């Protein structure tokens, strides 16, 4: 009980680790595609607005909750909302853990494609869809998934300072440098400015389309990682004097800056190579899905860039390494959250890490071997993140929003102070946005055939079925969860 | 010459979006530096 808790040793290491959580696959493979499908400039205006009214307030809430309770999600929800709500914390942990299971598969894809690029397989290829098919139909994704889980588990086994902090101190600056390098190349391509102009040109009629706003909220929520519970876990290892508001805003702005740079890179390249057809490909063609744009459409574009095969290979290799690094840094935080939740339930540290790695491998294996399973899990749990954000906001409301702002958020000396407006955003705007978003999603899902089918890949039935099992289980186990987490030192 | 071909709304959106995100980032970096 008296064991001293390990903390992030430096502010830079802490901030880079927070950025490691926020910057992930969502910035790279989802942002540009969603921007293209929702009108480019018309999309990024609401996207920036939601940065201020969803992501930043929730990130600040997470850092403050972590700073106050220094627990995993279950202990945090018990501390903030009361013992009756341990199940909410368990659900937050479940959603992020379920994402971890298939996210390590994505990390593996990134590294596999980095190696494909280095060995020239992508430059020589004419049919990128065939390469993707043959790769995903083999056992290779399982191997790369295993390697990702092993590496991530090793990082969290090394601890916060020597593992998480050191790794992020390498991954994030390297990722930023790589993005800058391909950014410079992309914007200097002939025709690149047409793509950048599309990216920043609003069509004002789109701003009256509610779908554009809902997609912008969804994207901002997913690409910043606000409300996932991951930042909360890292904040539990920050030194007490670490700022909450400045670090929270810094993380959010840096994350969105990465998304914008990635958008500029992808739109510049698409327009430079294919002109207007490049955007069409992202809207309805082969680049219209996360996987399609990353592993089929972009490698094809890289091959068409000026220069020889070596130049194409270098461009692709840097892109896929950046993708893999971004995804890996986020995956490490997911592993940490899961292992910490097991620790919070009374499992000894090394056993908790081993159990996390074991579960991540075995429960992620179906996603590595079946794209249908992967798609189902992505559909179910990525929407669950909005519920996570709502639960965290609920925790703050139960704690007392004004008390939370004054005594916790504004508790650090020499930090940017939050005004009264923060109370309204957390207690009114965040719940309103979350409820509208979930309601809209459900409404859309109800229009589809077989919406009730719990075993369909994409259906409301499968979402409610899987959430329902988790929620029912945790509600039944609520008292046990409280009992197990009480008095456990993390 | 490139600028002449770009619409005013594009320049305005670019300034607003990049200004708020990068401006916010630079402001926070400066604040964090001064905290030390």
């Amino acid at each position: 009980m008296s064991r001293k808790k390990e903390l992030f040793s430096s502010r830079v290491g802490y901030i880079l680790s927070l950025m490691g959580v926020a910057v992930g696959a969502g910035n790279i493979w989802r942002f540009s595609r969603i921007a293209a499908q929702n009108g480019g400039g018309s999309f990024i205006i609401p996207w920036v607005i939601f940065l201020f009214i969803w992501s930043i307030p929730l990130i600040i809430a997470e850092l403050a909750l972590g700073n106050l309770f220094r627990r995993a999600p279950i202990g945090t929800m018990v501390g903030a909302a009361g013992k009756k709500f341990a199940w909410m914390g368990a659900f937050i942990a479940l959603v992020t853990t379920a994402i971890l299971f298939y996210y390590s598969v994505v990390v593996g894809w990134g590294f596999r494609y980095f190696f494909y690029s280095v060995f020239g397989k992508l430059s020589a290829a004419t049919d990128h869809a065939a390469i993707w098919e043959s790769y995903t139909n083999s056992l290779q994704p399982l191997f790369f998934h295993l390697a990702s889980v092993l590496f991530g588990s090793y990082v969290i086994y090394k601890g916060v300072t020597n593992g998480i902090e050191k790794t992020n101190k390498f991954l994030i600056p390297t990722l930023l440098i790589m993005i800058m390098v391909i950014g410079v190349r992309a914007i200097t391509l002939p025709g690149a400015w047409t793509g950048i102009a599309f990216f920043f040109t609003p069509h004002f009629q789109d701003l009256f389309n509610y779908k554009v706003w809902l997609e912008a909220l969804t994207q901002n929520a997913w690409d910043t990682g606000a409300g996932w519970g991951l930042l909360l876990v890292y904040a539990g290892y920050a030194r007490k004097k670490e700022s909450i508001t400045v670090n929270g805003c810094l993380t959010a702005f840096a994350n969105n800056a990465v998304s914008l740079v990635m958008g500029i890179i992808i739109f510049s390249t698409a327009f430079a190579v294919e002109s207007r057809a490049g955007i069409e490909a992202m809207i309805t063609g082969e680049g219209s899905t996360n996987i399609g744009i990353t592993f089929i459409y972009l490698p094809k574009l890289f091959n068409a860039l000026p220069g020889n095969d070596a130049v194409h290979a270098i461009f692709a290799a840097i892109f896929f390494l950046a993708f893999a690094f971004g995804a890996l840094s986020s995956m490490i935080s997911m592993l940490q959250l899961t292992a910490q939740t097991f620790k919070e339930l009374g499992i000894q540290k090394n056993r908790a890490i081993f159990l996390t790695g074991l579960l991540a491998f075995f429960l992620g294996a179906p996603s590595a071997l079946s794209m249908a399973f992967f798609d189902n899990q992505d559909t179910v749990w990525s929407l669950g993140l909005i519920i996570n954000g709502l639960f965290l906001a609920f925790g703050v409301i139960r704690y007392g929003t004004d008390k939370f702002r004054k005594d916790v958020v504004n508790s650090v000396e020499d930090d940017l102070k939050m005004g009264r407006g923060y109370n309204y955003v957390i207690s009114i705007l965040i719940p309103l946005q979350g409820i509208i978003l979930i309601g809209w999603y459900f409404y859309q899902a109800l229009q589809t055939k077989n919406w009730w089918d719990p075993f369909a890949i994409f259906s409301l039935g499968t979402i409610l079925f899987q959430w329902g099992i988790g929620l029912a289980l945790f509600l039944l186990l609520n008292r046990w969860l409280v009992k197990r987490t009480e008095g456990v030192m993390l | 010459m490139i600028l002449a071909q770009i619409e005013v709304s594009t320049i305005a959106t670019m300034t607003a979006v990049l200004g708020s995100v990068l401006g916010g980032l630079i402001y926070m970096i400066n604040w964090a530096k001064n905290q030390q």
Side-chain angles (χ1 to χ4, degrees):
Chain A
M1 284 295 199
S2 60
R3 188 167 49 88
K4 210 176 163 201
K5 187 170 173 166
E6 190 186 10
L7 301 174
F8 283 101
S9 66
S10 68
R11 160 169 288 186
V12 171
Y14 175 52
I15 293 173
L16 289 173
S17 301
L18 294 179
M19 281 175 64
V21 173
V23 177
N27 306 68
I28 299 172
W29 77 355
R30 196 174 189 277
F31 174 73
S32 305
R33 176 178 73 76
I34 296 292
Q37 289 167 350
N38 289 280
S42 322
F43 168 82
I44 53 173
I45 293 171
W47 175 78
V48 169
I49 293 173
F50 287 121
L51 169 68
F52 290 94
I53 62 172
W54 175 275
S55 298
I56 289 179
L58 268 178
I59 288 175
I60 290 171
E62 277 201 54
L63 296 187
L65 285 168
N67 190 287
L68 177 64
F69 296 110
R70 303 200 164 250
R71 309 297 298 257
I74 302 175
T76 301
M77 284 308 289
V78 170
K83 289 181 179 178
K84 283 182 190 165
F85 300 100
W87 61 273
M88 283 190 175
F91 187 78
I92 292 172
L94 169 72
V95 170
T96 310
T97 302
I99 291 175
L100 158 71
F101 295 155
Y102 66 84
Y103 204 82
S104 63
V105 177
V106 178
V107 177
W109 291 345
F111 279 110
R112 182 67 191 106
Y113 265 66
F114 165 70
F115 290 119
Y116 273 158
S117 315
V118 168
F119 294 111
K121 186 158 181 181
L122 298 181
S123 333
T126 49
D127 190 348
H128 291 277
I131 293 184
W132 175 252
E133 280 292 312
S134 110
Y135 168 60
T136 48
N137 286 329
S138 70
L139 286 176
Q140 287 189 53
L142 193 64
F143 170 76
F144 280 91
H145 162 61
L146 174 65
S148 307
V149 170
L150 284 176
F151 180 76
S153 302
Y154 177 70
V155 169
I156 62 164
Y157 168 74
K158 291 291 281 178
V160 171
T161 317
N162 287 325
I164 295 170
E165 186 174 345
K166 252 188 189 170
T167 310
N168 280 301
K169 270 173 142 174
F170 169 73
L171 290 180
I172 300 304
T174 316
L175 165 75
L176 296 177
I177 292 168
M178 288 191 289
I179 290 176
M180 290 300 158
V181 170
I182 50 176
V184 169
R185 181 69 198 100
I187 60 169
T188 51
L189 288 168
W193 278 98
T194 332
I196 296 171
F198 175 87
F199 185 43
F200 286 105
T201 304
H203 304 281
F204 288 105
Q205 69 276 16
D206 287 345
L207 289 173
F208 296 102
N209 182 353
Y210 74 98
K211 282 185 183 171
V212 172
W213 287 80
L214 288 164
E215 289 287 6
L217 168 59
T218 314
Q219 178 57 29
N220 213 300
W222 287 345
D223 84 12
T224 53
W228 296 33
L230 298 168
L231 295 163
L232 174 153
V233 167
Y234 277 6
Y237 291 95
R239 294 172 297 181
K240 269 280 175 193
K241 63 176 183 180
E242 286 296 355
S243 78
I244 292 171
T245 313
V246 169
N247 286 348
C249 293
L250 193 55
T251 305
F253 284 127
N255 174 76
N256 279 30
V258 169
S259 289
L260 285 174
V261 174
M262 282 313 300
I264 290 171
I265 290 170
I266 292 175
F267 280 93
S268 304
T269 314
F271 260 88
V273 175
E274 294 201 316
S275 193
R276 178 77 206 180
I279 296 305
E280 298 303 329
M282 281 196 264
I283 297 172
T284 50
E286 59 192 342
S288 61
T289 62
N290 289 339
I291 287 168
I293 192 168
T294 314
F295 299 104
I296 298 168
Y297 181 58
L298 286 175
K300 195 180 99 177
L301 287 188
F302 298 153
N303 272 5
L305 290 173
N308 57 21
D309 278 357
V311 174
H312 303 155
I314 290 169
F315 203 89
I318 295 174
F319 173 82
F320 283 112
L321 197 59
F323 178 86
F325 277 13
L328 177 64
S329 62
S330 303
M331 190 196 86
I332 289 168
S333 65
M334 294 175 199
L335 283 163
Q336 178 68 19
L337 180 143
T338 309
Q340 196 163 318
T341 302
F342 285 138
K343 266 170 68 188
E344 193 169 60
L345 293 170
I347 299 173
Q348 186 263 340
K349 185 194 166 196
N350 288 348
R351 284 184 192 160
I353 294 170
F354 180 73
L355 180 62
T356 303
L358 203 68
L359 285 176
F361 174 68
F362 281 106
L363 296 178
S367 295
L369 297 171
S370 157
M371 283 311 297
F373 194 89
F374 177 93
D375 287 338
N376 172 268
Q377 291 302 289
D378 191 27
T379 306
V380 173
W381 301 111
S382 55
L383 189 66
L385 291 171
I386 304 296
I387 304 283
N388 280 14
L390 285 174
F391 282 178
L392 284 172
F394 175 80
V396 173
I397 294 165
R398 285 275 303 179
Y399 185 84
T401 315
D402 199 47
K403 186 178 156 209
F404 180 74
R405 177 179 66 86
K406 284 179 182 161
D407 300 348
V408 190
V409 174
N410 290 346
S411 66
V412 181
E413 247 183 80
D414 197 23
D415 195 5
L416 195 63
K417 301 290 185 251
M418 281 283 119
R420 257 176 198 281
Y422 185 76
N423 298 355
Y424 301 112
V425 174
I426 285 285
S427 51
I428 299 169
L429 273 184
I430 298 268
L432 200 67
Q433 293 170 78
I435 290 165
I436 291 174
L437 184 59
I438 296 280
W440 168 71
Y441 191 94
F442 282 10
Y443 170 76
Q444 271 196 322
L446 282 170
Q447 316 298 314
T448 56
K449 222 176 145 189
N450 294 340
W451 63 266
W452 49 268
D453 186 352
F455 303 107
I457 296 172
F458 309 103
S459 74
L460 184 57
T462 191
I463 293 172
L464 295 179
F465 178 62
Q466 293 181 62
W467 286 4
I469 291 175
L471 286 170
L473 188 73
F474 297 142
L475 276 163
L476 281 172
L477 294 175
N478 193 70
R479 285 176 74 171
W480 179 82
L481 289 169
V482 174
K483 214 174 147 191
R484 294 289 295 184
T485 52
E486 267 174 344
V488 174
M489 166 89 181
L490 291 179
Chain B
M1 196 157 131
I2 288 167
L3 283 178
Q5 293 163 6
I6 298 176
E7 291 173 37
V8 176
S9 61
T10 311
I11 301 286
T13 308
M14 197 183 265
T15 311
V17 170
L18 292 179
S20 55
V21 174
L22 299 181
L25 180 62
I26 292 164
Y27 180 75
M28 291 302 158
I29 290 172
N30 270 331
W31 189 294
K33 267 184 179 170
N34 293 333
Q35 277 176 321
Q36 293 294 351

